[in-house]
């Protein structure tokens, strides 16, 4: 069983640039969530994709956008980068279960973004 | 709005000693509660979860947690800590339901240091 994989693991951008982060969900999982974890903080929910549509969004501006592909992999795009976007970006996948939640998010190891 | 408070930012215990990490939550409905662990440079790993039923839940690596509705708490415990338990621990609350809604609200984490 393949776990959640994210790429790239580290990247450095300058303010105003755009970045794309990628996530491959665990085999059999159809839901992908993205979280931002600033240094010394807990992860914060950005949004979730279910069956290729955004299905829930946290308190993040529209310059944070995403995609989910038919194979359930996902991208997170951030435009007009700001210094405060520097963080660890975590992707989590899960499956839905008829009659109840699956109850577990499987997290990747994250992509660490530094904005200079 | 839902929220999670982890009052202890850092905790240091001796190897072999018992451990209790505190978590208090605020949520307007029946909460789903989780504890995750994050080692340096790693993603999050689920230790245990509570959905309903028995208020004492067992997890991996010898951890357990007790849900106390009257105190809005979900404290994590381990009878005997091992040096490999040194990591950051996050409590989270959220509704998980089929088809979406995997938004978890995390606390700010407790950094555990184990002295040999």
């Amino acid at each position: 069983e393949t776990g959640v994989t994210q790429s790239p693991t580290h990247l450095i951008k300058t303010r105003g640039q755009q970045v794309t982060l990628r996530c491959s969900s665990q085999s059999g999982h159809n839901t992908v969530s993205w979280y931002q974890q600033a240094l010394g903080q807990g992860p914060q929910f950005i949004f979730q994709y279910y069956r290729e549509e955004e299905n829930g969004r946290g308190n993040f501006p529209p310059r944070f956008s995403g995609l989910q592909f038919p194979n359930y992999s996902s991208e997170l795009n951030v435009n007009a980068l700001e210094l405060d976007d520097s963080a660890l970006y975590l992707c989590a996948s899960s499956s839905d279960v008829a009659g109840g939640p699956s109850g577990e998010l499987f997290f990747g190891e994250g992509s660490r973004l530094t904005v200079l | 709005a839902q929220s999670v408070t982890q009052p202890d930012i850092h905790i240091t215990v001796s190897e072999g000693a018992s451990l209790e990490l505190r978590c208090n939550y605020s949520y307007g409905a029946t909460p789903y509660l989780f504890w995750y662990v994050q080692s340096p440079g790693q993603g999050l790993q689920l230790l245990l979860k509570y959905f309903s039923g028995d208020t004492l839940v067992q997890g991996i690596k010898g951890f357990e947690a007790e849900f106390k509705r009257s105190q809005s708490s979900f404290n994590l415990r381990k009878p005997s800590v091992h040096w490999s338990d040194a990591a950051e621990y996050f409590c989270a609350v959220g509704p998980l339901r089929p088809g979406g809604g995997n938004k978890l609200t995390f606390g700010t984490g407790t950094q555990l240091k184990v002295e040999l």
Side-chain angles (χ1 to χ4, degrees), chain B residues 25-105:
Chain B
Y25 68 89
S26 173
Y27 192 67
T30 301
Y32 295 142
L33 295 159
F34 307 85
W35 275 99
Y36 283 86
V37 61
Q38 185 176 38
S39 298
Q42 303 293 311
L44 296 163
Q45 181 183 23
L46 180 69
L47 287 175
L48 47 79
K49 58 185 183 276
Y50 171 77
F51 284 169
S52 63
D54 192 349
T55 56
L56 184 64
V57 293
Q58 302 296 321
I60 63 171
K61 304 183 180 184
F63 286 92
E64 66 178 26
E66 186 172 14
F67 170 58
K68 293 185 177 180
R69 185 185 298 275
S70 62
Q71 299 177 18
S72 298
S73 69
F74 189 57
N75 294 347
L76 181 71
R77 301 193 295 247
K78 186 170 185 178
S80 178
V81 171
H82 188 262
W83 64 266
S84 61
D85 292 325
E88 187 147 28
Y89 292 79
F90 291 95
C91 180
V93 63
L96 295 185
R97 61 179 186 272
N102 285 339
K103 176 184 177 182
L104 297 188
T105 298

